[in-house]
Amino acid sequence: MINCSYDQLFDPFVSLRGRLSQINEIVHCTIYGSNRRNTKDYIFRVAIYNAPDGVWHTPCLPALLNVNDKRKERQVSDSALKSAAWPASEIQTLVNEGAGLVDPRIYTDQELYSLEMERIFGRSWLFLAHESQFKKAGDFVTTYMGDDPIIVVKQRDGSIKAFLNQCRHRGMRICRHDGGNARSFTCSYHGWAYDIAGKLVNVPYEKEAYGCIDKEGWSPRQVTRIETYKGLIFGNWDADAPSLADYLGEATYYMDVLLDRVPGGTELIGGINKWVIPCNWKFAAEQFCSDMYHVPSSHLSGMIAQAPADLPPEALQVSGEGAQFRALWGGHGCGFVLGDGGYALMAVSSGQAVADYWHKDSIAAAEAHLGELRARKMSGMHMTVFPNLSFLPCNNTMRVWHPRGPGEIEVWSFAIVAKEASPEAKEAQRLVCLRTFSPSGILEQDDAENWIEVQEVLRGHQAKKTHFNVQMGLGRDLKADDRFPGDMDALFSENAARGFYAQWLRMMTEDDWSSLAPEVLADAAE
Amino acid sequence: MQPSKMEAMDGIATASLDLRSRMELQFEVEQFLYREAELQDDRHFEQWLDLMADDIRYFMPLRTNRSRREQALEFSSDHDIAFFDDDKATLIARVRKLRQPTGWSEDPPSRTRHLVTNVRVAVTDDPAVVSAKADMLIYRGRLERQVDIIVGERRDLLRRTDTEFGFEIAARTFLIDQATFLSNNISFFI
């Protein structure tokens, strides 16, 4: 029996393994002690003894390593400032919010990308699935959090569980299906089987191979936290992150234009359009956050295509009346046209049938539910919830920009409609969504063209040394608009983009939520 | 659920026809498909549109990874999201878009090549309508170095017309052999 402190035992992982291998006579050890991870002063007692039959019996070793695994996870979030290639002081130079300058290496650098996975995608609330994708227990979808594959499953009690789609034995993808219904998930490699909650329940030849094995300890890693907002299920790896409600903040006021426009909630149309664009994820996320400005240039041809043939092109220009929202905290943003032109704009961007549904059939219910401002006056909205979930409410599209290295994304695009809409209205919205915002979408086609070429140009050494301009609206006297929550600017602005990159910078350089949390900002303001 | 049009497009085998009739039908259909491909690849999109029937459904469902037990769910169904679900009016709109001076995704134009192969022809209950399946390899070169290769099965219902081309396309379904679409967009036709 030896006594040692938590740090002596577990820090670092390598030395623990060394300790065990150096003591040749160890064939069995047991640890005692609760996993009070916030205190370092308690004692683990490690019992070591020989097994009489000379065979390794390891009922406890997996548990030991598993505790260590949690310790390791903790260290990751503590080590935010310890990148050799990119110390925080260097990262700070990449985004200059006050000057409206962005260093384009944030779109190309592999090491920065790895840090994004750790510090942004490892700590932010990420969209997993919509509740309507699950009808009965065992219904599952597979998705991603950053680059990490995730299984999301409905449980018998109606709750949702999500866990890493990685077998704990040798790392095989446990489930290789896009979705379906399962009673269990069996790894194809060696046959370890997991129940729908993600618990290891069966290990082939367990007695012969392992003696016994700690199944609880060797279950796939559960997504640390799962919370929902109006049908959308989010996950977060970080136990210390703020609640989803605090994270979304006043962005929910705008999200509700899509998620809670009429009573009854939303549902997804079947199918997820998945495609690949060789560009950095921030181009897409930032554009949906902050960029109404590209519409008249990038998308004019698509709007002309849908408009009546005799409509002059000038009639299709986006009106200058509107506003842009920048979240006070969190990097979320959206923009929208304001006024009475919503019906006409929608007829052009989404077609007559959908315009009729939004502005005639459902307008009374929407106005009663959301109020006149959001139901009647706002239109043409674009939105991003930091880091990578975006919406276009008027095109019924919602999408996640899954990062795939610094130079590639997978777009996962969903069509979302009000549950209470008539079958005809749903069908009209389905068709418009896939005809406008999908790989073949006559509006979306041109976005990829832009992002790809920006990324291609950044192969250049001089190009990478040339700052991007994110200055639109800089220095403008922003007055609070008491009609809207958040920091408001004009329709054409990059204020929300600056908010997006400011949040990016904070998450990339600040160690933990003691400084990052929204309430810290609120306290500072007071 | 499989898209409903797909079963209807299987047609009836041509075994009942004599060899000469079968050869003639095969020849007619192949020549039509080659000429249609030529119109696309030579960018004669307005003439290509003339081959689309007024009641066309131009459909390209999604394809997913499903267990063998759930293979019926492999393709997105009639009222799910799709890559294409167009009618004549929206096909006209697409051509209108790419002809605009601001139609950036096709200006400069893509270089496409529609390779039509393994053509299988079947008759249907309607003597004026022929079912044609073909395997397709669509190549796109774009801008300096972009290359996209799209492979799949095309299922057409071809309706006889009194025109130079001899047929119009009453329905087209394209079944792609990719689950995650590996190209940035489909600004061309399939």
Side-chain angles (χ1 to χ4, degrees), chain A residues 267 269 418-430, chain B residues 79:
Chain A
E267 65 187 20
I269 301 285
K419 250 185 224 168
E420 298 298 310
S422 67
E424 296 75 22
K426 286 178 184 171
E427 176 69 356
Q429 292 175 94
R430 173 186 79 90
Chain B
H79 296 287

Side-chain angles (χ1 to χ4, degrees), chain A residues 493-510:
Chain A
S493 172
E494 285 164 350
N495 189 39
R498 288 188 291 278
F500 177 90
Y501 288 117
Q503 178 72 9
W504 180 89
L505 189 64
R506 292 190 59 194
M507 295 204 77
M508 290 290 277
T509 54
E510 293 181 30

Side-chain angles (χ1 to χ4, degrees), chain A residues 183-313:
Chain A
R183 282 184 289 272
S184 62
F185 299 97
T186 302
C187 177
S188 60
Y189 198 171
H190 303 91
W192 284 26
Y194 304 91
D195 70 10
I196 61 171
K199 285 210 165 60
L200 179 63
V201 290
N202 188 50
V203 173
Y205 308 103
E206 180 179 349
K207 197 163 188 314
E208 300 94 310
Y210 293 96
C212 70
I213 188 166
D214 171 22
K215 294 202 187 67
E216 184 78 28
W218 287 102
S219 294
R221 287 182 53 194
Q222 294 282 329
V223 174
T224 314
R225 294 166 66 191
I226 295 173
E227 293 179 23
T228 63
Y229 181 74
K230 295 192 176 171
L232 307 190
I233 303 163
F234 292 80
N236 196 322
W237 288 112
D238 190 345
D240 298 329
S243 70
L244 177 63
D246 285 346
Y247 179 89
L248 295 174
E250 68 272 30
T252 57
Y253 174 87
Y254 304 94
M255 294 168 74
D256 286 354
V257 173
L258 179 68
L259 301 177
D260 197 19
R261 184 170 173 272
V262 294
T266 58
E267 65 187 20
L268 294 186
I269 301 285
I272 307 169
N273 224 327
K274 302 177 182 178
W275 73 101
V276 172
I277 304 178
C279 74
N280 186 268
W281 65 274
K282 293 186 289 300
F283 294 147
E286 181 225 298
Q287 181 181 296
F288 276 65
C289 179
S290 180
D291 193 343
M292 190 68 91
Y293 186 55
H294 81 289
V295 175
S297 172
S298 287
H299 297 308
L300 182 60
S301 65
M303 294 174 74
I304 289 173
Q306 298 186 115
D310 53 356
L311 199 69

Side-chain angles (χ1 to χ4, degrees), chain A residues 178 307 430 440 446 449, chain B residues 65 80 83 94 96-97 142:
Chain A
D178 298 344
R430 173 186 79 90
S440 74
D446 301 299
E449 184 86 356
Chain B
N65 294 297
D80 288 346
F83 288 107
R94 288 181 185 281
R96 202 174 163 208
K97 178 214 179 325
R142 174 142 193 77

Side-chain angles (χ1 to χ4, degrees), chain B residues 118-134:
Chain B
N118 299 22
V119 177
R120 290 91 77 195
V121 181
V123 296
T124 70
D125 292 339
D126 183 343
V129 176
V130 177
S131 158
K133 290 186 190 174

